[in-house]
Amino acid sequence: MKTPPEPAADELDLSRLFFKLRRRWPLFVGALMLAGALAYVYLQLTPPVYGLRATVLLGDQATGSKRAQELLQILEVHDKGLKMEDEIGLITSAGTVRQAVRRLPYAVAYFREPATWLNRLRPVQRREQPADAMPFRVLPNLAAPQLTDVRIYVSPAGAGRYRLRATAARAHLADLPTGQPVREVWNVQLDTIVAAGDTLRHPLLQLAVQPVPGVPFEAGTGRYCFTLSDVDGAAGRYANGLAVRPIDHDSRIVELRLKNSVPAQGQAFLDTLMAVYIAADLRAKNQTGRKSLAFLDEEIEKLARTRHQAAGALSTFRASRGVVDVQAQSSSDIGRLADLEAARARAATTRRYCESMLAYLQANRGGGQMASPSSAGIDDGVLNSLILQLNELNSRRAALSVNGSDANPLLVVTDERIRSTKEALMQTLANMSRNAGIGLRDLDAQLARVRGQISRMPEDERQLASLKGESDFNEKNYSFLVEKRNEAALALATNTTDKRVVDRAQLISTGPESPNPKLVALIALLAGLLLPTGLVLLLDKANQTVQGQDDLARITSIPVLGVVAHGSGADTKDLAHRNRGAIAESFRSIRVNLQYLTSGPDKKVLGVTSTVPGEGKTFCAVNLATELAHSGRRVVLVETDLRRPTVAGYFPLAAGSARHGLAGYLGEESTLDECRRFSGVPGLDLITCGAVPDRPTQLLENPRMATLMRLLRAEYDYVVLDTPPVGFVAEFFVLMQYLDATVYVVRHNYTDRDLVSRINELYQDEKIRQVYLLINDVRFAGSYEYRHQRNAYSYYK
């Protein structure tokens, strides 16, 4: 008997892995052939794609003029700096790509279908061609709706004539320049002929076909076709193959890569895309300059109105307040105040003098009364003349009065003249007094006015300073903005972009970038090896059946009695009369192990069971009993599986023996001698089921079963019971009381490992003892654990 090994931790066993893979070599061969065929078809169907590369230098957001940048800084137009992601987004944006496509002949794409076996099965192999390589040129009418994305085949139809054919279950009419769909078309069937150079006017197409000189139609080499695309469709195809990235993390040079099946078209697109991007950048910067000019013009216009209003307010204030120069006018008012006060003092003195002199003269009005007035510094010609005249007359009278009497005519005349002079002088003094009063009142008014102006001088000075400051500020701003406006206009006129093309578009390599035959072959090889490997590992992982003694050791501690080799149908049927072969040697080894384990007088009854039908329980019971009989023991094989009896099929029993059997004995319908049959193998008797009963469980519980087992124990060396499966019916547990040992059969690559848990639970709970496992139907060549026995078949023959 083999002792089960200790369960080992899961680890990668390369030897076991390679053994499993080697067993499935047909799967690998088939997978490699399939992968190779698919790789070949892929290389035939996939059009060659060329890689193109171009580089462009991205600057910052500055315009080309340093003065303009200074202006934007002054105007607080902050520079946000260059963001590489934003610039890349602009290059790859749908708008930029669409503008580039509009500058190219995007509407027509030419194809050639080679005459290959794949295209004979179905037209799937196409190669896009440059326009110069085609024998014809298509000129669509861009102003009319066209049939888009449908292959239109062109073939010669005689001298100077072309035949156009197209078939489609569903198609669209679209406006090519805008990409707007016009209507949907179903069941397109186009077959028409057009003369070279003439315009085809069809409800689905409006175009002209012209021949290309020097490029003839090549008969037998394939078919020519073309498709019409709108601007959005063409832009989408270019955008799908476009990739933009910086050449380095801190670099401002970005690399544009494009994958395209026609190198010339790809080069033209990349160059046009860079030109469109640079032109758009210059337009944006010019727009910034124009906005700056518009802003400056608007500010200058507003400032001109404000400047005019400020100047008008300053003039009005000066005119209303009489203020020109505050400091000079302040000094002038103070001097004027002093002059007015001095003039008032003089006027008051004059008035008082006139009033005093007038009172004096009035008191001495007579001619004989002497009066000698004085001008007292009053500068008045009439007054001074009258005073001098009066003084002269007084002097004359005094001289006459000394030598003559009062009756002296000269003295009388002199007195009369003195009196008239006094009257004239009094009249003059009265006038002067009145004039002095008027002058005083006028001086008082002027003094009040000057004193008011002096008191208002700080507020006028503040308002004048404010108005003058505002006027000066507006004047300076106006002059500054006018200067900057001129500078901005000059900057706009001399503006340039800081973005430029570094390398124009060129092929990355001389050959197509994809498909790469070597890479495709490598992928096919890896797929042909890895996919079967994965499938084998997946199937092995999903396989929950018993693969050998190692699997059983992981789930149960029940000892393994041995293994039974796989055999053909003839081997299993004729085993009772064959003593050589792998199966015979397997049971011989099992018999030796069993005799060693069950040695003793109380180990005579052996039960053979399994979990489910199909595991070879009956086969093992028959061959184990046969091998025990071949060893010289008297053995009886009792078929206790009354539901599906199959023992009789292994032996050449006489006709009519099916009437008597275990069921008849337990049902008291047959005797033991009637039930017992000779198997044809010396030393081996049989008790088959007989007629299949209706209630097998009740029959096995019959006391006659205990009597039978007692009789058989006494008569035979070994009693082998072919018991029902454990997992389906309860009869095995009824028979457990008669068994000295149990052989539990599991079938290699058939019995689920979880099913062994049922017998293992009984064993661990000690409800069943002396149980041994037997692995049936082991293919040595297909089992890693028993691979060393794969040559046993040839040795045993």
Side-chain angles (χ1 to χ4, degrees):
M1 184 199 73
K2 297 181 181 178
T3 303
E6 292 294 329
D10 291 338
E11 59 182 12
L12 181 61
D13 190 341
L14 293 179
S15 177
R16 183 185 294 271
L17 175 62
F18 289 143
F19 178 82
K20 294 177 180 179
L21 298 179
R22 188 170 61 249
R23 282 185 56 236
R24 305 281 186 169
W25 67 266
L27 182 62
F28 284 88
V29 173
L32 287 172
M33 293 179 63
L34 178 61
L38 292 177
Y40 173 77
V41 173
Y42 173 78
L43 290 175
Q44 294 299 315
L45 295 182
T46 305
V49 176
Y50 295 85
L52 299 104
R53 176 183 180 272
T55 54
V56 62
L57 174 65
L58 306 182
D60 52 22
Q61 292 181 340
T63 59
S65 171
K66 182 178 178 181
R67 295 287 294 171
Q69 288 307 301
E70 295 175 354
L71 172 63
L72 295 178
Q73 291 177 1
I74 293 173
L75 297 177
E76 297 183 354
V77 180
H78 300 292
D79 183 9
K80 299 180 180 179
L82 173 69
K83 288 187 177 180
M84 185 66 68
E85 295 80 1
D86 295 342
E87 297 297 320
I88 292 176
L90 288 175
I91 296 175
T92 58
S93 65
T96 305
V97 174
R98 190 181 295 109
Q99 290 181 30
V101 169
R102 289 182 187 277
R103 299 186 182 184
L104 301 173
Y106 63 88
V108 185
Y110 299 94
F111 298 92
R112 182 173 177 270
E113 294 182 356
T116 60
W117 62 273
L118 286 173
N119 281 335
R120 282 194 293 270
L121 296 176
R122 187 177 181 182
V124 293
Q125 189 177 9
R126 288 189 301 163
R127 296 292 183 266
E128 187 173 1
Q129 303 292 321
D132 297 338
M134 299 294 287
F136 58 89
R137 185 73 50 84
V138 177
L139 303 176
N141 182 8
L142 299 181
Q146 303 285 357
L147 184 67
T148 58
D149 300 327
V150 175
R151 279 179 285 181
I152 303 172
Y153 292 91
V154 180
S155 59
R161 295 165 66 85
Y162 298 97
R163 181 182 181 185
L164 277 64
R165 292 177 295 111
T167 303
R170 179 184 179 187
H172 293 86
L173 286 179
D175 184 44
L176 300 186
T178 63
Q180 294 295 326
V182 176
R183 62 187 177 92
E184 194 173 42
V185 183
W186 296 86
N187 298 323
V188 175
Q189 297 292 332
L190 175 66
D191 192 349
T192 184
I193 295 177
V194 60
D198 290 347
T199 300
L200 172 64
R201 301 187 183 278
H202 191 274
L204 302 179
L205 291 174
Q206 290 193 29
L207 51 82
V209 181
Q210 295 180 349
V212 176
V215 184
F217 278 91
E218 297 180 3
T221 60
R223 298 190 299 174
Y224 298 92
C225 64
F226 69 91
T227 60
L228 298 179
S229 300
D230 56 46
V231 65
D232 291 336
R237 286 193 296 272
Y238 281 114
N240 290 335
L242 179 64
V244 181
R245 63 177 182 84
I247 63 173
D248 190 68
H249 178 69
D250 297 326
S251 176
R252 292 189 300 163
I253 297 178
V254 296
E255 180 183 59
L256 286 74
R257 285 180 175 263
L258 180 68
K259 294 181 178 180
N260 195 273
S261 56
V262 181
Q265 292 181 2
Q267 290 176 337
F269 171 74
L270 283 182
D271 291 338
T272 306
L273 181 65
M274 292 187 294
V276 167
Y277 168 68
I278 293 174
D281 178 73
L282 183 58
R283 284 197 304 272
K285 291 178 178 179
N286 287 337
Q287 185 178 7
T288 302
R290 285 191 291 269
K291 287 183 178 180
S292 300
L293 281 177
F295 169 76
L296 289 173
D297 290 338
E298 182 180 355
E299 291 297 316
I300 288 173
E301 183 179 356
K302 292 191 295 185
L303 196 58
R305 292 194 298 268
T306 305
R307 171 171 164 263
H308 179 72
Q309 293 173 358
L314 179 61
S315 299
T316 302
F317 179 80
R318 282 175 170 172
S320 62
R321 299 294 179 90
V323 177
V324 178
D325 188 346
V326 174
Q327 294 180 352
Q329 192 163 354
S330 175
S331 301
S332 174
D333 287 344
I334 293 173
R336 185 181 177 191
L337 177 63
D339 293 341
L340 289 175
E341 289 179 346
R344 186 183 187 286
R346 288 193 299 273
T349 301
T350 300
R351 183 180 179 181
R352 287 194 301 271
Y353 168 78
C354 290
E355 290 177 350
S356 175
M357 181 63 68
L358 182 60
Y360 172 75
L361 290 177
Q362 287 178 351
N364 298 281
R365 299 182 65 166
Q369 295 177 342
M370 294 296 294
S372 300
S374 173
S375 63
I378 297 174
D379 188 12
D380 185 272
V382 176
L383 178 64
N384 291 332
S385 175
L386 291 175
I387 290 174
L388 289 175
Q389 184 178 355
L390 180 62
N391 288 333
E392 288 178 359
L393 291 175
N394 285 331
S395 297
R396 184 181 298 176
R397 186 183 185 283
L400 291 176
S401 64
V402 171
N403 297 321
S405 62
D406 294 335
N408 186 351
L410 292 175
L411 185 59
V412 173
V413 171
T414 300
D415 288 338
E416 186 62 29
R417 290 183 63 187
I418 289 173
R419 222 177 1 262
S420 61
T421 299
K422 285 183 179 181
E423 289 295 333
L425 183 60
M426 284 189 296
Q427 186 65 36
T428 299
L429 288 174
N431 291 334
M432 288 183 64
S433 177
R434 285 194 301 272
N435 290 336
I438 295 171
L440 282 175
R441 287 192 297 274
D442 181 63
L443 288 172
D444 287 338
Q446 291 185 35
L447 282 173
R449 188 164 52 253
V450 170
R451 288 190 183 101
Q453 289 178 354
I454 292 175
S455 64
R456 291 195 309 270
M457 191 62 63
E459 179 63 20
D460 291 343
E461 183 178 7
R462 183 191 65 78
Q463 293 185 17
L464 180 64
S466 175
L467 293 173
K468 193 172 185 302
E470 182 179 358
S471 178
D472 293 342
F473 175 77
N474 291 332
E475 189 68 30
K476 290 179 180 179
N477 280 350
Y478 181 81
S479 300
F480 172 78
L481 289 180
V482 169
E483 178 185 0
K484 295 306 175 184
R485 197 268 178 200
N486 295 331
E487 292 179 0
L490 179 62
L492 180 61
T494 60
N495 195 16
T496 59
T497 179
D498 53 357
K499 297 173 175 58
R500 63 183 180 87
V501 176
V502 178
D503 293 319
R504 296 180 66 84
Q506 57 186 352
L507 287 172
I508 298 176
S509 60
T510 56
E513 188 176 276
S514 67
N516 187 342
K518 294 181 179 179
L519 179 61
V520 173
L522 177 61
I523 293 175
L525 177 62
L526 293 177
L529 295 176
L530 295 180
L531 291 179
T533 300
L535 181 60
V536 170
L537 295 178
L538 179 63
L539 292 176
D540 183 70
K541 192 68 175 177
N543 188 1
Q544 296 297 314
T545 60
V546 174
Q547 297 298 311
Q549 187 175 349
D550 293 343
D551 285 349
L552 294 175
R554 294 187 184 96
I555 57 179
T556 182
S557 58
I558 300 175
V560 178
L561 190 62
V563 297
V564 178
H566 171 76
S568 64
D571 293 337
T572 58
K573 291 296 182 182
D574 195 30
L575 186 61
H577 300 89
R578 296 181 61 181
N579 293 327
R580 296 179 63 83
I583 298 179
E585 289 299 327
S586 298
F587 280 103
R588 195 167 291 122
S589 175
I590 293 170
R591 186 258 302 170
V592 172
N593 292 336
L594 184 63
Q595 287 178 342
Y596 172 76
L597 291 173
T598 61
S599 61
D602 57 342
K603 303 293 180 64
K604 290 187 174 184
V605 181
L606 304 176
V608 182
T609 187
S610 64
T611 306
V612 294
E615 293 177 311
K617 165 184 63 65
T618 302
F619 168 76
C620 292
V622 169
N623 287 282
L624 181 58
T626 301
E627 185 57 38
L628 288 172
H630 284 164
S631 66
R633 271 72 170 177
R634 293 193 68 230
V635 182
V636 60
L637 175 60
V638 182
E639 185 175 24
T640 58
D641 189 354
L642 304 182
R643 298 177 184 270
R644 296 181 61 184
T646 57
V647 172
Y650 287 89
F651 299 95
L653 300 179
S657 60
R659 292 184 303 142
H660 301 285
L662 180 62
Y665 175 80
L666 296 178
E668 299 182 2
E669 296 175 359
S670 303
T671 64
L672 177 59
D673 292 334
E674 290 175 339
C675 296
R676 184 164 40 195
R677 294 285 183 272
F678 177 65
S679 66
V681 178
L684 177 60
D685 291 335
L686 301 175
I687 300 178
T688 60
C689 172
V692 177
D694 295 332
R695 295 176 294 176
T697 304
Q698 288 80 352
L699 286 177
L700 293 176
E701 291 176 340
N702 193 308
R704 286 176 63 85
M705 185 64 189
T707 303
L708 175 63
M709 295 306 300
R710 188 167 55 253
L711 293 174
L712 295 178
R713 274 178 180 273
E715 186 175 352
Y716 292 95
D717 295 325
Y718 287 98
V719 179
V720 179
L721 301 184
D722 177 20
T723 64
V726 176
F728 276 38
V729 293
E731 284 90 338
F732 174 78
F733 300 100
V734 176
L735 297 171
M736 280 178 56
Q737 57 185 319
Y738 309 116
L739 301 179
D740 298 326
T742 301
V743 177
Y744 186 83
V745 178
V746 295
R747 185 176 178 181
H748 179 260
N749 206 30
Y750 181 85
T751 303
D752 196 291
R753 289 194 288 263
D754 293 337
L755 297 178
V756 185
S757 60
R758 182 71 180 273
I759 195 71
N760 187 54
E761 291 176 1
L762 296 175
Y763 180 75
Q764 290 180 347
D765 295 341
E766 298 183 354
K767 295 180 180 180
I768 182 173
R769 294 175 295 175
Q770 298 298 325
V771 61
Y772 307 99
L773 297 175
L774 188 150
I775 306 176
N776 182 35
D777 196 26
V778 177
R779 297 177 182 266
F780 293 152
S783 173
Y784 176 77
E785 187 175 348
Y786 303 104
R787 67 193 182 282
H788 56 279
Q789 300 183 24
R790 62 180 177 272
N791 296 324
Y793 294 104
S794 61
Y795 180 78
Y796 293 142
K797 290 180 180 179

